[in-house]
């Protein structure tokens, strides 16, 4: 029986952020249900309340559009502490209202993990109900976001990457016009402005949101005309992994033909992502599809090829190059893994995705590294994540230089990651 008081605190954070079926990431700063947060929060819930965990997924899927877009935010109930709300997105007529963009598709991977960890004798019934919706969502990625069938999907808004103000997006975002209409940010009244994106970035985030609304969300028009169109390496790595997990889920409920289609998407993605490999840098990079320039900023995204478990992560030569990069990145800060290499020009240790450590990234990446036999690196990510939380509390993210907690407090997915890491360490027989 564990005596770790933080386990109880983590459970209390999820319960406190529960709004009756869905979990807000942080009570004031993010008062709705976010897409990839929800999938990860469900894994945390499952460690102590399995029914509630599955409910989180069902609530998220209430936001699924008819065309398969799974929105990045579902506005189940109104709140006036957040900008931009449903009417800004132009989706206030939907039930429930949502945003018009998506987020990294970790959902199928989390559902598969939950199926593997489940103690529910009826779990296969749950999976059989979820799979058709997951299939619709993946089909949307592979059609609307890859209309030419290249194997790589595009994103139209930095918020879709989940890595909003990553320095990797500086160049493509600079080509986006600034919104000229007035609007009021609410985040600056709720978090330290030094931790939040700059105003010039928000002006462009708003421009893009307005542009999608003006396009009436027409997928082909946005594909042709969006001033921001990026192949995000991390997004594609997440999708490749999720395709494989969805193929396994399809198999498990007897959908063999669907499993084959999804496995083909995964293989096509794994082949196509190789066009993003930079031999000189030793990692994969994103690409600005408007300027046709690669985006070589050394963010954590280049490490996500490990997460996708690309075939090359098992080839000795490539693996050695990738491992040198990973080891260098882990050695570059006392608290790993920074979301941007401190030597990169855009690095800022406090500002959101320009440097801080994000617990869920460490958890996702760490679990794959362990699967690939990189136990030392996996352990570093897990130990550092637990130590940051133990030292500073359950924050949104952490300074990679000092370990200070940053952004929103009592953060749901930080609590979920803590619960999951602890559960995994018990299963593996060592409680850190
Ligand atoms: C925000 O509002 O800061 C979010 O990251 C957008 O999803």
């Amino acid at each position: 029986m564990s005596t770790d008081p933080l386990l109880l605190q983590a459970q209390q954070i999820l319960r406190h952020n529960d709004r009756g079926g869905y979990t807000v990431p942080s009570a004031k700063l993010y008062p709705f249900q976010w897409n990839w947060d929800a999938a990860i929060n469900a894994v945390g819930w499952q460690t102590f309340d399995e029914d509630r965990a599955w409910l989180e997924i069902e609530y998220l899927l209430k936001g699924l559009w008819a065309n398969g877009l799974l929105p990045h935010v579902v506005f189940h109930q109104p709140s006036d502490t957040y900008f931009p709300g449903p009417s800004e997105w132009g989706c206030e007529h939907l039930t429930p209202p949502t945003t018009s963009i998506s987020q990294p598709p970790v959902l199928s991977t989390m559902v598969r993990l939950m199926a593997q960890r489940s103690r529910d004798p009826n779990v296969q019934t749950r999976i059989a109900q979820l799979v058709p919706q997951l299939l619709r969502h993946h089909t949307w990625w592979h059609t609307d976001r890859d209309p030419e069938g290249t194997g790589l999907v595009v994103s139209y808004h930095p918020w879709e990457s989940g890595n909003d103000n990553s320095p990797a997006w500086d160049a493509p975002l600079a080509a986006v016009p600034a919104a000229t209409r007035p609007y009021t940010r609410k985040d600056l009244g709720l978090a330290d402005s030094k931790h939040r994106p700059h105003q010039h970035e928000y002006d462009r985030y708003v421009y893009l949101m307005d542009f999608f609304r003006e396009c009436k969300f027409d997928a082909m028009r946005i594909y042709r005309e969006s001033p921001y169109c990026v192949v995000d390496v991390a997004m594609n790595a997440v999708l490749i992994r999720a395709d494989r997990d969805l193929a396994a889920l399809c198999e498990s409920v007897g959908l063999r033909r669907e499993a084959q289609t999804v496995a083909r998407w995964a293989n096509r993605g794994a082949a196509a992502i190789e066009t993003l490999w930079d031999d000189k840098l030793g990692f994969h990079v994103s690409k600005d599809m408007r300027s046709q320039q690669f985006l070589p900023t050394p963010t954590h995204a280049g490490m996500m090829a490990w997460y996708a478990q690309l075939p090359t992560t098992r080839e000795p030569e490539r693996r050695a190059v990738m491992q040198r990069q990973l080891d260098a990145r882990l050695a570059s800060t006392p608290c790993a893994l920074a979301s941007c290499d401190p030597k990169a020009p855009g690095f800022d240790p406090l500002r959101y995705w320009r440097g801080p450590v994000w617990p869920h990234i460490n958890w996702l990446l760490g679990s794959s590294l362990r699967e690939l036999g990189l136990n030392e690196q996996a352990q570093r990510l897990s130990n550092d994540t637990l130590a940051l939380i133990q030292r500073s509390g359950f924050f949104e993210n952490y300074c990679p230089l000092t370990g200070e907690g940053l952004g929103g407090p009592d953060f749901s997915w930080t609590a979920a990651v803590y619960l999951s890491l602890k559960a995994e360490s018990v299963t593996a027989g060592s409680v850190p």
Side-chain angles (χ1 to χ4, degrees), residues 29-30 34 72-73 82-84 103 159 164 196-197 202 352:
L29 191 55
Y30 305 112
W34 260 255
H72 104 290
V73 181
Y82 184 78
F83 170 87
Q103 246 185 347
W159 287 349
D164 305 12
R196 297 292 302 167
Y202 253 80
Y352 217 36

Side-chain angles (χ1 to χ4, degrees), residues 75 84-92 97-98 181 209 213:
F75 300 109
S87 60
E88 302 279 345
W89 288 96
C91 303
E92 66 276 32
T98 70
R181 67 164 175 105
M209 174 182 67
R213 198 183 54 233

Side-chain angles (χ1 to χ4, degrees), residues 30-53:
Y30 305 112
F32 307 108
Q33 189 182 34
W34 260 255
N35 177 333
W36 67 333
D37 293 69
I40 290 165
N41 291 338
V43 174
W45 275 108
Q46 196 189 21
T47 63
F48 63 103
D49 186 343
E50 174 142 8
D51 282 342
R52 178 60 188 77

Side-chain angles (χ1 to χ4, degrees), residues 167-237:
W169 314 144
D170 287 355
L173 197 62
V176 174
T180 49
R181 67 164 175 105
Y183 66 90
T184 307
R185 287 175 68 173
K186 306 240 170 121
D187 58 317
L188 297 179
L190 299 168
D192 188 331
S193 61
K194 288 195 293 303
H195 303 171
R196 297 292 302 167
H198 291 289
Q199 191 57 38
H200 65 85
E201 290 160 330
Y202 253 80
D203 287 346
R204 285 156 180 87
Y205 299 157
V206 170
Y207 178 92
L208 288 168
M209 174 182 67
D210 291 349
F211 172 76
F212 305 143
R213 198 183 54 233
E214 277 152 30
C215 290
K216 300 191 170 44
F217 318 115
D218 176 335
M220 278 319 284
R221 182 166 167 211
I222 295 172
Y223 182 65
R224 281 192 310 268
E225 296 176 22
S226 172
Y228 182 96
C229 182
V230 164
V231 169
D232 168 6
V233 65
M235 171 90 83
N236 279 279

